[in-house]
Amino acid sequence: MKRLDRSEIIFKIFAYVILTLFALVCLYPFIFILSASVSSKAAVDTGKVYLWPNPQGGGLQIDAYAEIFSQSRFWLSYCNTLFYTMYGTLVSMLVAITGAYALSKSRLMFGRGFNFMLVFTMWFSAGMIPTYNNFVQLGVDNRYMYIIALGFNAFNIILLRNYFSSVPTEIEEAATIDGATEFQLLTKIYIPMSKASIATVTMFYAISRWNGYLWAQMLLGPDDQPLQVYIRTVLKDVMQGDQSGAEVNYSPYSMQYALLVCSIIPIIVIYPKIQKYFAAGVNVGGVKE
């Protein structure tokens, strides 16, 4: 067994301490909002919640959660967000995979020009107002058009294109000799060999859809707006001190924190399951031999 010298031991201890402190700093906001969402009204309003739930002056409460769950607007916006995340990610991945596969082929007619135009959209954009006017003229005012309008991301397509380009051409040539079509090449060879990159890009799209706020607020009607827009409305009411004159057992800030907890639960549950694909997906997809 190799024996570590003193300098290496010191370095390892230092690295572990720094990483542990960094992890605690990253974890603290999540612990705080969870604690504040169930702490007593007095403790939250006076700023007495630091880490763990504080029952001072009234005991722990889950009234903020009960109030949220009783509101139909919350469930409507939550269902809208689930709809946009699932179907929006599906549409975006369909565009990304097929587009990346075509652009990775040197035999694609005008392929260099198409690749240049794709990268060009990352360098220059029309700006928010022209983009908004374009969306309005195209009729992006409902959930289905919203999914289609935001179904394209140049960076993610380039990421997948670079990964597809790294697949050995000998495998494709052998399959072509055996009579494989383009569709079979994509579904039987490229997609199975690109699970890491595909999982990574899928997560990128899913998080983007889940956190979508700006364009949803600007383009969609009240019944089609996602959870993030609803949360922003509640936060605005909290900042303006709008409590509708009702006496409640929780602080308005507890309502704010409870909403944040509800909004991040799905991501926290899903993220660890595909985290292992991230490093491999980004590294391999971002480097071309």
Side-chain angles (χ1 to χ4, degrees):
M1 182 176 178
K2 182 180 178 181
R3 187 173 182 179
L4 301 177
D5 56 32
R6 179 178 297 179
S7 61
E8 192 169 356
I9 293 175
I10 294 175
F11 173 78
K12 285 184 176 292
I13 294 175
F14 178 78
Y16 283 126
V17 170
I18 294 297
L19 288 175
T20 301
L21 292 175
F22 181 75
L24 292 175
V25 169
C26 293
L27 190 61
Y28 174 74
F30 298 100
I31 298 176
F32 173 79
I33 65 173
L34 180 60
S35 299
S37 68
V38 297
S39 295
S40 67
K41 181 177 181 179
V44 176
D45 288 340
T46 57
K48 297 295 180 61
V49 181
Y50 304 107
L51 182 61
W52 306 117
N54 189 342
Q56 175 184 352
L60 300 181
Q61 54 79 29
I62 58 172
D63 294 351
Y65 289 95
E67 176 64 22
I68 291 172
F69 295 154
S70 68
Q71 296 179 5
S72 60
R73 179 63 62 180
F74 167 77
W75 292 110
L76 177 62
S77 62
Y78 214 105
C79 291
N80 287 337
T81 298
L82 291 173
F83 178 86
Y84 297 138
T85 301
M86 291 187 294
Y87 290 101
T89 302
L90 180 63
V91 170
S92 296
M93 287 304 300
L94 179 63
V95 172
I97 290 174
T98 54
Y101 175 75
L103 293 173
S104 68
K105 301 304 172 188
S106 59
R107 61 180 180 274
L108 176 66
M109 186 178 296
F110 308 118
R112 183 168 296 182
F114 288 134
N115 277 288
F116 172 78
M117 287 190 291
L118 179 67
V119 176
F120 186 83
T121 63
M122 297 178 61
W123 297 337
F124 304 99
S125 65
M128 180 176 292
I129 295 178
T131 302
Y132 171 76
N133 290 333
N134 191 35
F135 283 155
V136 171
Q137 292 175 8
L138 291 174
V140 184
D141 58 358
N142 59 76
R143 62 181 64 199
Y144 303 103
M145 289 299 297
Y146 176 74
I147 287 176
I148 296 173
L150 301 182
F152 173 88
N153 184 286
F155 172 78
N156 291 335
I157 294 178
I158 291 173
L159 192 68
L160 283 178
R161 182 203 64 187
N162 290 348
Y163 194 96
F164 287 162
S165 298
S166 68
V167 174
T169 56
E170 293 79 6
I171 298 178
E172 179 179 344
E173 291 173 356
T176 303
I177 292 174
D178 290 337
T181 63
E182 293 289 353
F183 181 76
Q184 290 172 328
L185 288 175
L186 175 61
T187 57
K188 302 297 184 181
I189 295 177
Y190 281 87
I191 291 179
M193 295 183 65
S194 309
K195 289 181 179 178
S197 267
I198 290 176
T200 301
V201 173
T202 300
M203 192 62 182
F204 287 165
Y205 275 125
I207 292 178
S208 176
R209 293 287 188 172
W210 184 266
N211 292 328
Y213 163 74
L214 179 62
W215 290 117
Q217 183 191 40
M218 296 174 65
L219 298 171
L220 299 176
D223 291 339
D224 292 329
Q225 289 180 343
L227 180 64
Q228 305 304 328
V229 178
Y230 173 77
I231 291 176
R232 178 64 183 88
T233 302
V234 175
L235 296 184
K236 183 179 178 181
D237 292 340
V238 170
M239 295 300 294
Q240 293 176 349
D242 182 12
Q243 300 182 36
S244 303
E247 280 294 329
V248 293
N249 295 326
Y250 56 88
S251 167
Y253 294 101
S254 292
M255 168 77 78
Q256 168 184 336
Y257 295 134
L259 277 170
L260 295 177
V261 170
C262 293
S263 69
I264 63 177
I265 285 177
I267 300 299
I268 292 177
V269 172
I270 295 173
Y271 184 84
K273 298 183 182 300
I274 63 174
Q275 170 190 319
K276 59 184 179 181
Y277 295 110
F278 269 35
V282 174
N283 290 338
V284 178
V287 179
K288 181 180 178 182
E289 295 182 358

